[in-house]
Amino acid sequence: DTGVSQNPRHKITKRGQNVTFRCDPISEHNRLYWYRQTLGQGPEFLTYFQNEAQLEKSRLLSDRFSAERPKGSFSTLEIQRTEQGDSAMYLCASSHRDSLGAWYFGPGTRLTVT
Amino acid sequence: AQKVTQAQTEISVVEKEDVTLDCVYETRDTTYYLFWYKQPPSGELVFLIRRNSFDEQNEISGRYSWNFQKSTSSFNFTITASQVVDSAVYFCALSPEDGTASKLTFGTGTRLQVTL
């Protein structure tokens, strides 16, 4: 069990640039979640997948955000035309469908938009 | 809408003291799950406990215990004989009982600092 991994761990980008983050879940987990955490706040739900299907998206996920999980394994989160307000820690978690909230989180990708 | 309130932003205790972290929640759902997660300095959230709204029994796991009171919408977390390794940010979370707890609503967290 190698855990949930996220790459890169840190990303600094200029406003207006596009960025893409990757999440590799625990291999046998069919659910994958993306959350965003800003300083001093709790994680906020962005979206989740069951296998390759994206089942729910938060209203926080504007048109500039897109997430994919093409083969039901790893997932990518892309932010287009980044804004300073996108600066945050982006967290990925995975679980079995029946784990009832007992998720495994990755270390996160810290995005800084300058 | 669901909401979780953790009024204590930061708590500092000396090792071996007991400490209680408060959590108050709001939900219109009749059934739901409650959770506690720990976020150590390394950043990875670690699942600690899940509680179904039907089950109001308190739970103890080693030095950790949880007090669920539906009447006051609270799910408090007590660490007995705290240790330096307990230093972390602790999050309370809530999910509707939709069969799979597919979405968690987190509180803002309580930072616990345990010193020698």
Side-chain angles (χ1 to χ4, degrees), chain B residues 95-116:
Chain B
S95 176
E97 216 278 48
D98 60 358
T100 61
S102 57
K103 188 167 72 175
L104 301 185
T105 297
F106 286 85
T108 52
T110 296
R111 180 177 299 278
L112 174 64
Q113 185 72 40
V114 182
T115 56
L116 294 171

Side-chain angles (χ1 to χ4, degrees), chain A residues 5-6 19 23 34 37 41 46 63 85 87 92 96 104 107 111:
Chain A
S5 62
Q6 292 186 246
V19 294
C23 172
W34 283 100
Q37 186 177 19
Q41 299 297 312
L46 292 178
D63 292 345
S87 295
C92 175
H96 288 292
Y104 291 82
L111 173 66

Side-chain angles (χ1 to χ4, degrees), chain B residues 32-48:
Chain B
Y32 46 89
Y33 290 110
L34 292 162
F35 305 83
W36 278 93
Y37 273 82
K38 174 182 180 180
Q39 189 173 40
S42 62
E44 297 183 31
L45 284 151
V46 177
F47 167 79
L48 295 178

Side-chain angles (χ1 to χ4, degrees), chain A:
Chain A
D1 181 357
T2 57
V4 177
S5 62
Q6 292 186 246
N7 289 288
R9 295 291 308 276
H10 303 273
K11 179 71 177 178
I12 301 174
T13 191
K14 292 184 178 179
R15 188 175 55 187
Q17 298 294 306
N18 299 343
V19 294
T20 300
F21 310 140
R22 176 176 169 130
C23 172
D24 287 272
I26 293 172
S27 58
E28 64 269 24
H29 286 177
N30 52 14
R31 284 211 168 180
L32 186 147
Y33 313 84
W34 283 100
Y35 274 69
R36 181 172 71 183
Q37 186 177 19
T38 52
L39 202 59
Q41 299 297 312
E44 297 174 295
F45 171 77
L46 292 178
T47 188
Y48 85 95
F49 294 83
Q50 182 164 302
N51 300 314
E52 65 274 11
Q54 188 173 20
L55 297 188
E56 188 172 346
K57 291 170 55 172
S58 163
R59 280 175 286 181
L60 290 175
L61 221 62
S62 74
D63 292 345
R64 298 184 297 106
F65 288 71
S66 62
E68 295 183 343
R69 195 183 182 198
K71 296 182 180 179
S73 56
F74 73 92
S75 176
T76 57
L77 177 69
E78 181 183 15
I79 308 175
Q80 296 183 330
R81 304 180 304 281
T82 52
E83 301 173 356
Q84 286 187 322
D86 298 331
S87 295
M89 179 75 86
Y90 290 84
L91 300 171
C92 175
S94 72
S95 74
H96 288 292
R97 181 185 184 276
D98 299 328
S99 70
L100 300 179
W103 300 348
Y104 291 82
F105 277 83
T109 294
R110 181 168 296 284
L111 173 66
T112 302
V113 182
T114 62

